[in-house]
Amino acid sequence: MKKKRALALLLTGVMAFSMAACGSQQETSNSGTNTQTETSAPAETAAETAAGTEAAAGTDLSADITMWTYPIGSFGDEETVNGFIASFNEVYPNISVSVEYLDYTSGDDQVTAAIEAGTTPDIIMEGPERLVSNWGAKGKMLDLSDLWDDEALADISATSEAVVSACQSTEGVFYEYPLCMTTHCMAINYEMFEAADALQYINEDRTWTTENFEKALQALKDAGVAQENGIVYCGGQGGDQGTRALAMNLYNAEFTNADHTQWTMNSEAGVKGLQQLVDWTQEGLLSYDAGAQASDELQLFSNGTVAMTFCWNASNEAQYASVVGFTPYPVAFPSESGTPELCGGIYGFGIFDNGDEAKAEAAKAFIEFICDDAVQGPLSVSSTGFFPVRASFGNVYAGTEDEARMEVFASFGPYLGDYYNVTGGWAEQRTAWWNMLQQIFGGEDVQTAADAYVETCNAATAAAAN
């Protein structure tokens, strides 16, 4: 998959949302945003709709299945997920679904331990970097090609062929069935920037150059409006898409080659970006924390300690809406050219190969209900705070109080970059990344550390291909 083609295809769905939102004739409001994304109540329940469809033919399925889910919007909220399961059980009363909620600090270790112990769940919710490039590549996941029938393939392809590509292995085996997609960005404390007269450095379309980013950092420091301008966190892999996007964008580096076979952040542009981060910390324009992950940085941002966060998206904004006492203002990452490449996220479901056909069929029924049902599907998407992969779902936020807010995040669609997360050795890369950040902020030569990082990543990629 060539990079620019993948970018263009991935834009289609998010741009379609933006056009639909701008053309809405319904009144919207940004007021009263809660910690969970809110949607208008449907005219009928998902269960009522599904009961009259072919899905009802499978109500004789019977199994006890388990699902593990990372905190993807309200899929990390027990009350919301229990509501979805209750709707599912009105159609499939003989399938019992129990849920365990993972976090991004220890979740991967829990899954690894379960794989080693032979106690993996039936269903797991996350992205292709885990379901396809990691567990799928290791032969732990079931082939979900039967879920990708002609109708699903056409509907998802109409939004993004890049999503279709990311959900399957290089051999064409589908290990993930997707629900939603998003764009990750950063955010600033609007009032702090306003007090420091630093808003002038951000363009109307919420982009900015590396040069203007530095000017804003200096203005914030001179004004003394925050305890710290921003923190480059490197205490683990949580939220690492933020630090990767920051370092990569500063001088428009490429994270991998177009074929996703080699890691390339030791390039001149990559090293220049990493060195710039080190220089800014030495000048007191940014800080770094060798023990912090994104969750720690987000807490500092939400309580007004720091002026910006490098880990933001629509879901995070909804989650922190009730605890912030300021205006979080989403912006793109700064880049030398002024045209950033933002990291994207694709989220969906996979099924571990546990050798139980009845459970596998029940798990597929659950996934289809959550992702594809005409009523439940849009509800599932909106609960994540992201955007649908199915073109037929349209604008799932139309007519809700979140519509205007989500238009902002949809506007970042044209800057979605390559989904390099599917590169083999992804898990090893994530550990190597934050270790490398600790090394360069600890005084190691940036080029030397970047070369070692790339060597480690390329070795992991080569091993994954064998």
Side-chain angles (χ1 to χ4, degrees):
M1 179 178 66
K2 297 300 182 182
K3 183 168 188 176
K4 297 305 177 186
R5 179 172 181 272
L7 168 60
L9 291 169
L10 192 54
L11 305 183
T12 307
V14 180
M15 291 177 71
F17 164 85
S18 184
M19 293 172 65
C22 292
S24 174
Q25 300 300 311
Q26 296 173 297
E27 294 182 2
T28 62
S29 169
N30 264 338
S31 63
T33 304
N34 295 321
T35 56
Q36 301 297 337
T37 302
E38 297 184 5
T39 60
S40 298
E44 56 184 339
T45 67
E48 289 170 341
T49 297
T53 68
E54 292 181 2
T59 55
D60 59 340
L61 289 175
S62 179
D64 294 337
I65 59 175
T66 57
M67 178 177 73
W68 289 8
T69 176
Y70 286 78
I72 302 161
S74 292
F75 274 88
D77 175 66
E78 185 174 359
E79 182 177 357
T80 299
V81 174
N82 284 344
F84 293 167
I85 293 173
S87 294
F88 171 72
N89 284 147
E90 290 190 38
V91 183
Y92 295 92
N94 299 320
I95 299 177
S96 174
V97 184
S98 60
V99 185
E100 181 168 341
Y101 300 89
L102 307 178
D103 59 45
Y104 283 111
T105 300
S106 60
D108 288 353
D109 290 337
Q110 288 179 254
V111 176
T112 298
I115 290 174
E116 292 175 350
T119 57
T120 50
D122 300 293
I123 303 170
I124 190 159
M125 183 181 190
E126 229 291 314
E129 53 268 36
R130 288 177 171 85
L131 275 60
V132 179
S133 301
N134 187 359
W135 306 320
K138 294 175 180 177
K140 304 302 181 182
M141 310 300 292
L142 284 180
D143 182 356
L144 301 183
S145 296
D146 54 338
L147 295 183
W148 286 85
D149 58 23
D150 291 343
E151 183 275 331
L153 187 60
D155 201 3
I156 297 171
S157 295
T159 296
S160 171
E161 289 186 16
V163 171
V164 177
S165 178
C167 289
Q168 59 185 303
S169 69
T170 55
E171 293 79 22
V173 179
F174 284 103
Y175 290 123
E176 175 163 351
Y177 195 68
L179 172 68
C180 60
M181 58 190 291
T182 192
T183 309
H184 300 296
C185 59
M186 59 179 289
I188 64 167
N189 182 315
Y190 189 92
E191 286 76 15
M192 283 185 179
F193 268 66
E194 186 175 44
D197 195 26
L199 291 173
Q200 62 180 305
Y201 301 116
I202 303 174
N203 299 324
E204 289 186 7
D205 64 357
R206 301 178 186 246
T207 63
W208 45 356
T209 63
T210 299
E211 179 182 3
N212 279 341
F213 180 66
E214 183 173 39
K215 290 178 180 178
L217 292 176
Q218 189 64 59
L220 290 167
K221 180 182 178 182
D222 293 343
V225 295
Q227 292 185 30
E228 297 176 273
N229 287 346
I231 299 174
V232 182
Y233 48 88
C234 46
Q237 67 183 27
D240 55 357
Q241 77 277 352
T243 55
R244 293 197 311 270
L246 177 62
M248 180 183 76
N249 272 286
L250 289 177
Y251 296 100
N252 297 104
E254 304 284 349
F255 220 87
T256 71
N257 62 3
D259 296 327
H260 302 140
T261 57
Q262 296 286 319
W263 301 85
T264 57
M265 270 298 285
N266 63 338
S267 65
E268 180 180 354
V271 170
K272 188 176 180 181
L274 291 166
Q275 183 65 61
Q276 184 66 82
L277 292 178
V278 173
D279 293 345
W280 281 335
T281 61
Q282 292 175 346
E283 295 164 11
L285 298 181
L286 285 177
S287 304
Y288 77 93
D289 191 330
Q293 299 189 47
S295 58
D296 305 300
E297 185 244 26
L298 283 166
Q299 185 59 51
L300 292 172
F301 177 67
S302 66
N303 66 26
T305 300
V306 298
M308 64 188 69
T309 173
F310 300 122
C311 185
W312 203 244
N313 53 42
S315 183
N316 280 350
E317 183 171 87
Q319 179 181 352
Y320 286 93
S322 66
V323 297
V324 297
F326 58 89
T327 306
Y329 188 78
V331 293
F333 285 91
S335 63
E336 184 177 37
S337 68
T339 303
E341 280 199 29
L342 304 182
C343 292
I346 300 170
Y347 303 98
F349 299 90
I351 300 176
F352 278 103
D353 186 359
N354 291 327
D356 190 318
E357 186 175 349
K359 287 190 173 187
E361 289 304 309
K364 290 177 183 179
F366 180 79
I367 291 171
E368 283 191 295
F369 179 82
I370 294 296
C371 294
D372 294 350
D373 182 82
V375 173
Q376 179 61 53
L379 287 176
S380 300
V381 173
S382 62
S383 77
T384 68
F386 298 142
F387 302 97
V389 296
R390 277 186 170 268
S392 62
F393 286 176
N395 179 5
V396 299
Y397 302 101
T400 74
E401 64 180 29
D402 278 324
E403 183 173 14
R405 182 178 72 85
M406 293 302 291
E407 282 186 52
V408 173
F409 292 97
S411 72
F412 293 129
Y415 306 115
L416 277 169
D418 179 43
Y419 202 79
Y420 59 79
N421 313 38
V422 296
T423 307
W426 174 253
E428 292 82 358
Q429 180 278 144
R430 299 188 76 189
T431 299
W433 175 254
W434 59 266
N435 283 335
M436 186 263 292
L437 290 181
Q438 289 185 352
Q439 291 163 7
I440 65 174
F441 288 117
E444 186 168 335
D445 175 72
V446 174
Q447 183 70 65
T448 301
D451 287 343
Y453 157 75
V454 166
E455 183 178 358
T456 297
C457 295
N458 286 339
T461 300
N466 296 327

